[in-house]
Amino acid sequence: LVLVIPYRPHQDFSIVMGAPDMDAEGVKVEDALGGVGRSFETRFLPEMVTPMVREILAVGREVGCPVIDLSRTLKIDEESHYGTGRIGEANELGAPWSGAEPSDISTKFIARLIEHALSNEQEAMLYWGDAKQPGGKNWQMTVRQDNNDYILAEDYKFGGGIMKKVVKGPTEEEVAEANPYWFGIGILATLLLSAQSLMNGGDVVGFERDGFEAVLQQQVAEPAQPWSKG
């Protein structure tokens, strides 16, 4: 049993808008709407798919089988890894380039990864291909691997990199439970500081003896106001 994490579509391909148009000279024709859609999908697809991929990793750990990660194998900025190998080029059947299908080159990558996973002991491992094109000639792929453990799953991001952790603040229930605790700590700290101040001949914390005595003497010196019944 070998589980497979799917590959990402090419960065110039949109699931909704499709592939970009090409002019007569084979140059991509930029369109505002399509460009926005492609940029949006490229940016947010990893965040949307990563939770589902983590479930695949969890199944692999549970049953003890290898997982192949194609999202780290196919390069989303490489046309030759998708479809006919070049945007705007059709195959012998007339089908145009598609950024959502593997090319002949990447199909060989996938076959080699499956062969490698099956030829090794069945265990919770993650395999992916490190594809390079030395000198701009034939593509070469080196199989990379990592233990499919909880540490990997925690930091895993679809397509590579590390998923950003969202730092959440305390909930309302946690704040409500903590308030009495910190209020009591404040009262205790005030009592201790006041006791120390009194022992050193000072005043209670928050109380100014000189100011209080001045106000009291002023009130005593003022003549009493006559009292009359309503």
Tab-separated table of all heavy atoms in Angstrom, residues 65-87:
chain	number	residue	atom	x	y	z
A	65	CYS	N	2.445	2.646	6.343
A	65	CYS	CA	2.767	2.530	4.921
A	65	CYS	C	3.417	3.816	4.428
A	65	CYS	O	3.250	4.878	5.033
A	65	CYS	CB	1.505	2.214	4.111
A	65	CYS	SG	0.363	3.598	3.971
A	66	PRO	N	4.161	3.759	3.322
A	66	PRO	CA	4.821	4.955	2.800
A	66	PRO	C	3.845	5.906	2.132
A	66	PRO	O	2.774	5.511	1.675
A	66	PRO	CB	5.826	4.383	1.794
A	66	PRO	CG	5.224	3.094	1.357
A	66	PRO	CD	4.500	2.549	2.546
A	67	VAL	N	4.264	7.178	2.071
A	67	VAL	CA	3.483	8.221	1.409
A	67	VAL	C	4.387	8.918	0.404
A	67	VAL	O	5.525	9.279	0.727
A	67	VAL	CB	2.935	9.253	2.419
A	67	VAL	CG1	2.139	10.336	1.691
A	67	VAL	CG2	2.071	8.568	3.470
A	68	ILE	N	3.889	9.099	-0.822
A	68	ILE	CA	4.621	9.805	-1.866
A	68	ILE	C	4.065	11.223	-1.973
A	68	ILE	O	2.853	11.414	-2.094
A	68	ILE	CB	4.486	9.090	-3.223
A	68	ILE	CG1	5.197	7.737	-3.184
A	68	ILE	CG2	5.047	9.940	-4.347
A	68	ILE	CD1	4.999	6.920	-4.441
A	69	ASP	N	4.948	12.197	-1.929
A	69	ASP	CA	4.529	13.599	-1.974
A	69	ASP	C	4.865	14.196	-3.343
A	69	ASP	O	5.999	14.598	-3.608
A	69	ASP	CB	5.227	14.392	-0.865
A	69	ASP	CG	4.625	15.786	-0.694
A	69	ASP	OD1	3.801	16.178	-1.530
A	69	ASP	OD2	4.990	16.464	0.281
A	70	LEU	N	3.862	14.260	-4.211
A	70	LEU	CA	4.071	14.834	-5.535
A	70	LEU	C	4.057	16.361	-5.513
A	70	LEU	O	4.560	16.997	-6.440
A	70	LEU	CB	2.991	14.330	-6.505
A	70	LEU	CG	2.937	12.818	-6.722
A	70	LEU	CD1	1.865	12.478	-7.749
A	70	LEU	CD2	4.298	12.278	-7.160
A	71	SER	N	3.509	16.955	-4.456
A	71	SER	CA	3.474	18.417	-4.378
A	71	SER	C	4.862	19.004	-4.198
A	71	SER	O	5.085	20.180	-4.476
A	71	SER	CB	2.555	18.865	-3.232
A	71	SER	OG	3.165	18.638	-1.964
A	72	ARG	N	5.795	18.173	-3.709
A	72	ARG	CA	7.180	18.621	-3.575
A	72	ARG	C	8.045	18.156	-4.746
A	72	ARG	O	9.222	18.507	-4.812
A	72	ARG	CB	7.780	18.082	-2.270
A	72	ARG	CG	7.143	18.616	-1.006
A	72	ARG	CD	7.914	18.152	0.204
A	72	ARG	NE	7.343	18.645	1.440
A	72	ARG	CZ	7.879	18.453	2.652
A	72	ARG	NH1	9.009	17.762	2.757
A	72	ARG	NH2	7.304	18.932	3.719
A	73	THR	N	7.472	17.363	-5.618
A	73	THR	CA	8.240	16.783	-6.717
A	73	THR	C	8.098	17.602	-7.992
A	73	THR	O	9.092	17.981	-8.613
A	73	THR	CB	7.781	15.339	-6.977
A	73	THR	OG1	7.903	14.572	-5.764
A	73	THR	CG2	8.626	14.693	-8.057
A	74	LEU	N	6.864	17.893	-8.400
A	74	LEU	CA	6.642	18.710	-9.578
A	74	LEU	C	6.839	20.185	-9.218
A	74	LEU	O	6.349	20.652	-8.186
A	74	LEU	CB	5.234	18.509	-10.137
A	74	LEU	CG	5.041	17.299	-11.072
A	74	LEU	CD1	5.219	15.991	-10.322
A	74	LEU	CD2	3.680	17.354	-11.736
A	75	LYS	N	7.558	20.904	-10.066
A	75	LYS	CA	7.826	22.321	-9.828
A	75	LYS	C	6.742	23.158	-10.511
A	75	LYS	O	6.553	23.068	-11.722
A	75	LYS	CB	9.209	22.696	-10.371
A	75	LYS	CG	10.348	21.932	-9.710
A	75	LYS	CD	11.689	22.371	-10.253
A	75	LYS	CE	12.837	21.598	-9.605
A	75	LYS	NZ	12.911	21.819	-8.156
A	76	ILE	N	6.058	23.985	-9.713
A	76	ILE	CA	4.913	24.724	-10.250
A	76	ILE	C	5.314	25.823	-11.220
A	76	ILE	O	4.457	26.378	-11.908
A	76	ILE	CB	4.065	25.320	-9.115
A	76	ILE	CG1	4.865	26.388	-8.347
A	76	ILE	CG2	3.572	24.237	-8.176
A	76	ILE	CD1	4.029	27.174	-7.358
A	77	ASP	N	6.611	26.153	-11.293
A	77	ASP	CA	7.050	27.178	-12.247
A	77	ASP	C	7.727	26.572	-13.476
A	77	ASP	O	8.313	27.290	-14.286
A	77	ASP	CB	8.011	28.158	-11.562
A	77	ASP	CG	9.244	27.466	-10.987
A	77	ASP	OD1	9.258	26.217	-10.934
A	77	ASP	OD2	10.185	28.169	-10.586
A	78	GLU	N	7.612	25.249	-13.624
A	78	GLU	CA	8.270	24.559	-14.739
A	78	GLU	C	7.210	23.993	-15.693
A	78	GLU	O	6.502	23.041	-15.367
A	78	GLU	CB	9.152	23.436	-14.206
A	78	GLU	CG	9.925	22.685	-15.266
A	78	GLU	CD	10.787	23.605	-16.122
A	78	GLU	OE1	11.617	24.341	-15.555
A	78	GLU	OE2	10.607	23.576	-17.349
A	79	GLU	N	7.100	24.579	-16.893
A	79	GLU	CA	6.100	24.153	-17.861
A	79	GLU	C	6.295	22.702	-18.283
A	79	GLU	O	5.324	21.981	-18.530
A	79	GLU	CB	6.147	25.045	-19.106
A	79	GLU	CG	5.771	26.488	-18.856
A	79	GLU	CD	5.851	27.324	-20.120
A	79	GLU	OE1	5.843	26.726	-21.218
A	79	GLU	OE2	5.913	28.557	-20.022
A	80	SER	N	7.548	22.265	-18.356
A	80	SER	CA	7.826	20.915	-18.851
A	80	SER	C	7.358	19.822	-17.904
A	80	SER	O	7.315	18.651	-18.286
A	80	SER	CB	9.327	20.748	-19.103
A	80	SER	OG	10.067	20.884	-17.899
A	81	HIS	N	6.973	20.165	-16.691
A	81	HIS	CA	6.471	19.164	-15.741
A	81	HIS	C	4.966	18.945	-15.890
A	81	HIS	O	4.393	18.112	-15.173
A	81	HIS	CB	6.787	19.585	-14.300
A	81	HIS	CG	8.232	19.454	-13.952
A	81	HIS	ND1	8.696	19.591	-12.657
A	81	HIS	CD2	9.321	19.177	-14.721
A	81	HIS	CE1	10.013	19.416	-12.655
A	81	HIS	NE2	10.402	19.167	-13.895
A	82	TYR	N	4.326	19.689	-16.787
A	82	TYR	CA	2.868	19.616	-16.910
A	82	TYR	C	2.448	19.470	-18.375
A	82	TYR	O	3.097	20.002	-19.277
A	82	TYR	CB	2.217	20.878	-16.322
A	82	TYR	CG	2.461	21.059	-14.850
A	82	TYR	CD1	3.605	21.691	-14.396
A	82	TYR	CD2	1.565	20.570	-13.900
A	82	TYR	CE1	3.849	21.856	-13.039
A	82	TYR	CE2	1.793	20.729	-12.547
A	82	TYR	CZ	2.938	21.367	-12.121
A	82	TYR	OH	3.184	21.529	-10.783
A	83	GLY	N	1.338	18.745	-18.565
A	83	GLY	CA	0.695	18.646	-19.860
A	83	GLY	C	1.622	18.244	-20.995
A	83	GLY	O	2.385	17.272	-20.895
A	84	THR	N	1.574	19.008	-22.078
A	84	THR	CA	2.400	18.719	-23.250
A	84	THR	C	3.847	19.179	-23.069
A	84	THR	O	4.686	18.932	-23.938
A	84	THR	CB	1.814	19.413	-24.487
A	84	THR	OG1	1.766	20.832	-24.238
A	84	THR	CG2	0.416	18.918	-24.778
A	85	GLY	N	4.125	19.857	-21.974
A	85	GLY	CA	5.484	20.319	-21.718
A	85	GLY	C	5.715	21.775	-22.035
A	85	GLY	O	6.748	22.341	-21.673
A	86	ARG	N	4.749	22.399	-22.713
A	86	ARG	CA	4.900	23.805	-23.060
A	86	ARG	C	3.535	24.448	-23.228
A	86	ARG	O	2.660	23.887	-23.901
A	86	ARG	CB	5.707	23.953	-24.349
A	86	ARG	CG	5.991	25.403	-24.728
A	86	ARG	CD	6.785	25.493	-26.011
A	86	ARG	NE	7.013	26.883	-26.397
A	86	ARG	CZ	7.604	27.259	-27.516
A	86	ARG	NH1	8.040	26.331	-28.371
A	86	ARG	NH2	7.767	28.532	-27.789
A	87	ILE	N	3.359	25.617	-22.611
A	87	ILE	CA	2.079	26.320	-22.714
A	87	ILE	C	1.798	26.688	-24.176
A	87	ILE	O	2.660	27.212	-24.880
A	87	ILE	CB	2.087	27.595	-21.847
A	87	ILE	CG1	2.260	27.230	-20.358
A	87	ILE	CG2	0.810	28.398	-22.028
A	87	ILE	CD1	2.343	28.420	-19.437
